[in-house]
Amino acid sequence: MRRSILLTVIAAFCFQPLFSHAEPPSAHEHIFQHLTKMDAQAERLRIPNFPESADWFNSKPLSLSHDLHGKLVVLDFWTYCCINCQHVLPELAMLEKKFRNAPISFIGVHSAKFSNEELSNNIRNAILRHGITHPVINDKQMDLWHAIGVTSWPTIVVLGPSGNIIYSASGEDNGESLSLFLSEALDYYSGRLDYTPIPLTTEQTEHTSSLRYPSKVAVDTENKYLFISDSVNNRIVVTDLDGNYLHTIGCGLIGLADGACCNACFDHPQGITLHNGRLFIADTENHALRVVDLKTKEVDTIAGNGGRGRDCIGGFSGHQQSLNSPWDVAATDDTLYIAMAGTHQIWAHNFATNKVQVYSGNGAEMHLNSDTPLAASWAQPSGLAIGNNTLFVADSESSTIRTIDLATGASATLAGGEVGNPRNLFAFGDKDGIGGQARLQHPLGIAWAPQLGKLLVADTYNHRIRTIDPSTGAVETLAGSGAPGFSDGIGESAMFSEPSGLTMHPDGDKVYIADTNNHEIRLLKFSTKEVSTIAVKNVPEPKKATGNASIVNAEFASKIKGTAANAKAKEQGTLIFRIKLPENTKLNTAAPSRWQLRRSPEMPIVVSSDQCEGPLTASAEIRVPYTAVGNEGSVEIEAIIFYCQKEHACLMEEIVATIPFKKGIGGNTETVIEYKVPPLIK
């Protein structure tokens, strides 16, 4: 009964437009009216506490009635297979940055679609793979999902400071409206909010491999090179066939930059394929298609501009043509095919015209075949292979392997799924069989084995390698126990952890496997079913971003500028930043007021690492000893202060103090900056 009440009230309030685009001045009033209505239903809309037995990531177990009371809470209901859920993550990251010091807690509620996604260690790997830093709870039994009445992934639910629902929206592209809503909600609930931060303990990777979540692999049979899409390290690693390091493509930093291989930047690349001396790359989180000339070692962008596109038709090239999460690529003599996971389509790049456009799929997420290419529907296609004039497609969300006849464009299902019900994306399992009798679970990688006349499948969420005979549809397990793990062995005694990519060894009797969650490259020999591990050796660490991240929100921080300090080389001095609190106030000892010096390679001073940051004590004075390097420039000190006055709400102040360094400045070895925090409004 509680669920039906919640759904009724959410339908009445949360899913109404929160503001009119035609009348932007009314947004404030509209949201305040909405919040007033929601608060009138607060008791009815208060959600139950988090399940006590649930596993948590990035934080200790949290309580709505204790840790999160007095905060706005943004709940992101997601499942890590879902491309739309993955699209929401950057939106949330931007909001977390914008509201980083506000009394807003972002919490991921992982409610799994696939059985493999229920396992906490697999969720932990997904958190590390996607760089998620906010708390995440494993809603394994979907208790929260059902209690609130969520019906689809992704869904965002916002709770007020009393734990009652005040906002809900499904799908992606809600970041702008959610940002506006949170800003207005902070104003509406001012005086009732608790600024005490939630302590975070972000998950740390434990792997020792030089690779980090390798996703796809490709082989240059002529030159005997192995290319590895080292996805989370944002690069392509090139080795010989035995894993000996040769060079890398991409510097390791996230970005969209062309040029020499050592300077180019990628963002979580996935699929790769070779064609006529060029390596094509699905640069997934850059939403771009990249190409590497292997002779000149130059990287160029074929299509995409770094932003996620909404175009489902295409027809342009270069930065004019936006893309949406390209996941894999495969080439014929005249065409490069692209698994466009974000739009649930197959696209094609014409080598002659250089244009990129849709080839198959209408953009609806379904398992629907058709003789007419644009009438077919796909469900997050994630793997491609070509053989016998057929484009094979690992259609991950329908858990099927499907085909496209390259002569006619007609699509069909080779194995898995429920052909008669195109909307059923839950026909998954772990079973060999013929065609639709077989069951797969979110396959991501495939490769054509011409010597066998069969298709190889990385049945990712079943942790197996399978074969499919295209002439009969027969699916057989080749290797993998069916449980996540890491061990070499024969056939089903070997263990993988979410293998995602395959490519044939030049001898035709072996296949390389990107064993993603194990951070390893494995080798499977067909004739013996023996699985071994390739020792990828001597790979250098990827380049890391220099400097430190800001701890304040520049949009809201108070900014002050101090007097100039001496930039003379080897001149020693001390920066002193004094913060004056309003009368009758003191620092909130329950909240970690803190400061830091922003570090960068261009900084005109040298400061000991133990003098670059710290907590703010009762005196609220910061002292930074330094030695000038002789260059002019400026230094920034950031501070976050949580302070309280009896009988009044605690508040927060963010400050950025800039101190210029100039040559020819004489005298003082101490540079003092003072800032008076504005008094509390009574």
Side-chain angles (χ1 to χ4, degrees):
M1 184 64 181
R2 180 180 179 88
R3 181 187 177 197
S4 63
I5 292 173
L6 286 174
L7 284 172
T8 301
V9 179
I10 292 171
F13 295 118
C14 291
F15 289 99
Q16 291 182 7
L18 292 177
F19 60 92
S20 169
H21 289 287
E23 301 177 3
S26 69
H28 171 82
E29 181 179 352
H30 196 162
I31 293 176
F32 266 51
Q33 290 173 354
H34 168 84
L35 289 171
T36 301
K37 291 179 181 178
M38 301 305 283
D39 273 6
Q41 303 278 345
E43 185 61 34
R44 192 179 182 188
L45 286 171
R46 187 172 290 114
I47 74 168
N49 215 332
F50 299 121
E52 291 185 1
S53 61
D55 290 335
W56 284 80
F57 311 90
N58 290 333
S59 78
K60 66 171 188 175
L62 300 176
S63 166
L64 285 169
S65 58
H66 178 64
D67 306 281
L68 300 170
H69 182 74
K71 296 185 179 352
L72 301 179
V73 180
V74 179
L75 301 177
D76 172 30
F77 285 84
W78 68 301
T79 185
Y80 70 79
C81 66
C82 160
I83 193 67
N84 307 95
C85 300
Q86 294 172 32
H87 290 164
V88 168
L89 294 175
E91 295 179 351
L92 289 180
M94 287 189 288
L95 292 175
E96 289 177 79
K97 183 177 180 181
K98 178 176 181 178
F99 297 107
R100 73 179 73 196
N101 297 312
I104 301 176
S105 292
F106 292 82
I107 296 176
V109 182
H110 191 274
S111 305
K113 170 186 173 178
F114 291 101
S115 56
N116 178 69
E117 296 177 301
E118 296 174 0
L119 303 179
S120 287
N121 194 53
N122 294 343
I123 298 171
R124 179 180 177 274
N125 273 306
I127 288 168
L128 290 167
R129 194 161 59 241
H130 293 293
I132 299 169
T133 57
H134 56 247
V136 175
I137 182 174
N138 181 4
D139 187 26
K140 183 176 181 179
Q141 304 300 325
M142 303 188 88
D143 296 319
L144 287 169
W145 175 282
H146 292 305
I148 294 176
V150 176
T151 59
S152 64
W153 300 277
T155 291
I156 298 291
V157 174
V158 181
L159 308 180
S162 297
N164 57 298
I165 298 172
I166 58 175
Y167 173 101
S168 181
S170 297
E172 51 189 80
D173 297 324
N174 292 306
E176 185 177 345
S177 61
L178 179 56
S179 177
L180 173 61
F181 181 84
L182 291 174
S183 296
E184 295 292 344
L186 287 172
D187 190 15
Y188 178 86
Y189 290 111
S190 178
R192 289 187 270 172
L193 298 171
D194 180 3
Y195 278 81
T196 306
I198 299 296
L200 299 180
T201 53
T202 54
E203 300 293 325
Q204 300 296 320
T205 183
E206 298 174 355
H207 80 282
T208 57
S209 169
S210 55
L211 305 175
R212 194 162 179 225
Y213 296 101
S215 54
K216 305 285 186 180
V217 280
V219 163
D220 181 341
T221 56
E222 180 180 350
N223 296 298
K224 305 296 189 291
Y225 295 158
L226 174 65
F227 295 85
I228 304 166
S229 186
D230 191 13
S231 184
V232 176
N233 282 330
N234 306 296
R235 62 184 181 178
I236 309 299
V237 172
V238 187
T239 73
D240 65 16
L241 298 182
D242 296 321
N244 296 299
Y245 172 75
L246 299 175
H247 64 92
T248 55
I249 301 169
C251 65
L253 297 176
I254 290 177
L256 178 60
D258 294 333
C261 283
C262 57
N263 297 324
C265 295
F266 301 90
D267 191 351
H268 292 72
Q270 294 282 337
I272 50 179
T273 195
L274 288 138
H275 180 69
N276 287 348
R278 296 186 293 173
L279 180 73
F280 292 90
I281 303 169
D283 193 4
T284 303
E285 294 193 23
N286 269 328
H287 307 285
L289 185 62
R290 316 289 293 279
V291 62
V292 185
D293 186 316
L294 297 177
K295 289 184 179 179
T296 65
K297 295 188 177 179
E298 290 285 323
V299 179
D300 197 7
T301 299
I302 295 172
N305 51 35
R308 178 166 56 85
R310 278 70 174 172
D311 184 2
C312 291
I313 300 173
F316 298 95
S317 61
H319 295 309
Q320 285 184 301
Q321 181 57 65
S322 61
L323 306 179
N324 191 330
S325 296
W327 209 272
D328 201 8
V329 284
T332 61
D333 289 341
D334 56 6
T335 304
L336 180 75
Y337 295 95
I338 308 149
M340 201 69 71
T343 58
H344 310 288
Q345 295 173 307
I346 308 299
W347 281 42
H349 165 61
N350 186 298
F351 290 137
T353 66
N354 212 33
K355 292 183 178 180
V356 183
Q357 63 187 37
V358 64
Y359 173 71
S360 177
N362 53 23
E365 186 179 10
M366 290 192 293
H367 172 203
L368 179 65
N369 297 310
S370 176
D371 290 339
T372 304
L374 298 186
S377 295
W378 302 86
Q380 202 173 310
S382 303
L384 299 178
I386 293 173
N388 290 350
N389 202 35
T390 299
L391 178 65
F392 297 95
V393 181
D395 199 35
S396 62
E397 281 296 281
S398 66
S399 295
T400 61
I401 302 300
R402 298 167 65 185
T403 63
I404 299 177
D405 186 322
L406 291 177
T408 66
S411 54
T413 298
L414 182 60
E418 183 182 356
V419 176
N421 185 358
R423 295 187 181 276
N424 182 9
L425 302 183
F426 290 81
F428 62 86
D430 183 7
K431 187 175 71 171
D432 290 345
I434 305 296
Q437 297 175 354
R439 284 291 176 262
L440 310 173
Q441 188 179 180
H442 200 73
L444 292 177
I446 51 179
W448 177 246
Q451 287 87 341
L452 299 178
K454 294 181 179 181
L455 186 74
L456 302 173
V457 179
D459 191 0
T460 305
Y461 284 5
N462 283 325
H463 317 283
R464 297 186 190 271
I465 307 302
R466 290 184 145 113
T467 63
I468 304 179
D469 186 336
S471 64
T472 64
V475 178
E476 296 182 358
T477 297
L478 196 59
S481 69
F486 177 67
S487 67
D488 293 337
I490 305 298
E492 295 184 50
S493 69
M495 299 184 78
F496 305 96
S497 185
E498 296 193 5
S500 301
L502 306 169
T503 193
M504 289 294 297
H505 188 283
D507 69 7
D509 188 40
K510 294 190 284 288
V511 61
Y512 290 101
I513 303 163
D515 194 5
T516 303
N517 284 359
N518 281 324
H519 314 283
E520 299 285 358
I521 304 301
R522 315 290 292 280
L523 192 64
L524 168 59
K525 189 172 184 179
F526 302 134
S527 56
T528 63
K529 295 187 178 181
E530 180 183 2
V531 176
S532 58
T533 300
I534 297 291
V536 179
K537 300 178 285 292
N538 303 318
V539 181
E541 287 291 314
K543 186 183 292 185
K544 303 295 183 182
T546 57
N548 53 343
S550 175
I551 61 173
V552 303
N553 190 322
E555 182 179 350
F556 302 120
S558 300
K559 300 174 179 66
I560 59 172
K561 187 173 183 178
T563 56
N566 193 351
K568 182 180 178 181
K570 299 184 179 181
E571 185 81 9
Q572 294 185 335
T574 303
L575 302 178
I576 302 173
F577 185 15
R578 296 189 181 118
I579 301 168
K580 304 290 186 180
L581 296 177
E583 188 176 354
N584 297 322
T585 66
K586 62 179 181 179
L587 291 179
N588 179 0
T589 56
S593 299
R594 61 196 189 278
W595 67 274
Q596 75 165 12
L597 181 74
R598 288 299 303 274
R599 300 187 295 276
S600 72
E602 297 79 24
M603 198 164 64
I605 59 175
V606 174
V607 179
S608 173
S609 60
D610 61 354
Q611 300 287 335
C612 288
E613 60 185 6
L616 271 175
T617 60
S619 66
E621 180 174 289
I622 301 164
R623 301 179 70 89
V624 183
Y626 68 86
T627 302
V629 299
N631 300 326
E632 292 192 341
S634 62
V635 169
E636 287 186 351
I637 298 176
E638 300 178 334
I640 305 172
I641 306 167
F642 298 93
Y643 63 104
C644 303
Q645 183 179 30
K646 190 177 181 181
E647 298 179 354
H648 287 278
C650 290
L651 294 180
M652 175 194 67
E653 183 80 2
E654 299 175 279
I655 313 162
V656 178
T658 302
I659 305 96
F661 276 74
K662 295 184 178 180
K663 293 180 180 179
I665 304 293
N668 296 333
T669 57
E670 292 187 345
T671 301
V672 180
I673 315 103
E674 290 192 353
Y675 175 75
K676 292 184 178 181
V677 178
L680 291 167
I681 299 175
K682 296 184 179 180

